[in-house]
Amino acid sequence: MAFTLTLGSKAPDFRLLATDGKHYSLSDFTSDYLVVFFTCNHCPYVKNSDEITRQTAEKFQKRGVDFVAINSNSPNTYEEDSYDNMVKRMDEHRFPWTYLVDSTQDTAKAYGALRTPHFFVFDQERKLVYTGRAVDNPREPELITSYDLENALEELLTGKEVTTPLTNPIGCNVKWDGKDPHWMPVEACDLV
């Protein structure tokens, strides 16, 4: 069985606490399309590409796409990834997405999150139509040559099939509780 959700899979449900103090489930996001992405507070790949993700979110939210960020990193591995620090980060940056904490890491396992950031795009039926990276150089934005997430969303919203539905996410490993910070599930190793 693949560790990461395969194309065509239904979005796994969740009920997670957001930085606004409310709990959200999959059904709370009712736009035609949904981007779920796994992120965190400390990763340089996330921090250096957050403004690009913001631009993508702002561009496509107007066109019927919800953006949901999930932090599944263990604060026992990186204190900076704690819920309190998530709240501070959202207060400081005012990102245009809902930011959820996956304290049990069950949602990361259900989706098969490999990296931060790792993006999953779902259609109206909440079937997976794109997964992977947003851009080809999230750590050094000035070197970006490919905007894979934007390309996928543009094709989706114009009724086309996604040309490149699968890319390797580029970033830090998800920080699994009780595991070495560089540990990845064996099933995931051939996917990155």
Side-chain angles (χ1 to χ4, degrees), residues 10-168:
K10 291 284 267 186
D13 202 1
F14 50 77
R15 186 170 188 277
L16 300 172
L17 177 65
T19 53
D20 64 5
K22 299 175 188 167
H23 284 84
Y24 291 86
S25 297
L26 192 63
S27 60
D28 290 312
F29 303 99
T30 57
S31 289
D32 284 347
Y33 303 98
L34 175 67
V35 175
V36 174
F37 64 105
F38 290 82
T39 187
C40 66
N41 299 328
H42 86 275
C43 171
Y45 294 89
V46 167
K47 288 161 85 166
N48 292 358
S49 63
D50 266 340
E51 289 309 310
I52 292 157
T53 306
R54 179 198 300 275
Q55 290 166 16
T56 302
E58 288 173 347
K59 178 178 178 180
F60 287 96
Q61 281 171 332
K62 298 179 249 191
R63 297 172 63 189
V65 182
D66 279 330
F67 282 73
V68 180
I70 300 175
N71 177 12
S72 299
N73 277 0
S74 170
N76 298 323
T77 306
Y78 275 92
E79 169 58 28
E80 196 177 334
D81 287 329
S82 71
Y83 176 75
D84 287 344
N85 284 323
M86 289 172 60
V87 172
K88 285 180 194 162
R89 193 152 197 273
M90 281 299 273
D91 285 347
E92 180 183 345
H93 294 282
R94 303 277 180 213
F95 292 122
W97 49 74
T98 305
Y99 194 13
L100 307 173
V101 63
D102 175 22
S103 54
T104 65
Q105 300 188 311
D106 289 342
T107 303
K109 289 173 187 162
Y111 280 75
L114 297 172
R115 305 272 187 207
T116 54
H118 188 169
F119 295 81
F120 297 82
V121 178
F122 298 93
D123 66 10
Q124 297 102 320
E125 298 173 355
R126 294 303 183 250
K127 288 185 178 170
L128 185 65
V129 293
Y130 174 83
T131 183
R133 65 195 188 196
V135 293
D136 63 349
N137 205 326
R139 191 159 185 169
E140 298 177 87
E142 66 279 4
L143 301 178
I144 292 170
T145 61
S146 180
Y147 292 82
D148 303 282
L149 176 62
E150 279 210 21
N151 294 342
L153 289 170
E154 193 59 52
E155 288 175 330
L156 197 58
L157 268 62
T158 54
K160 298 175 184 159
E161 203 166 304
V162 177
T163 307
T164 307
L166 182 64
T167 58
N168 278 336

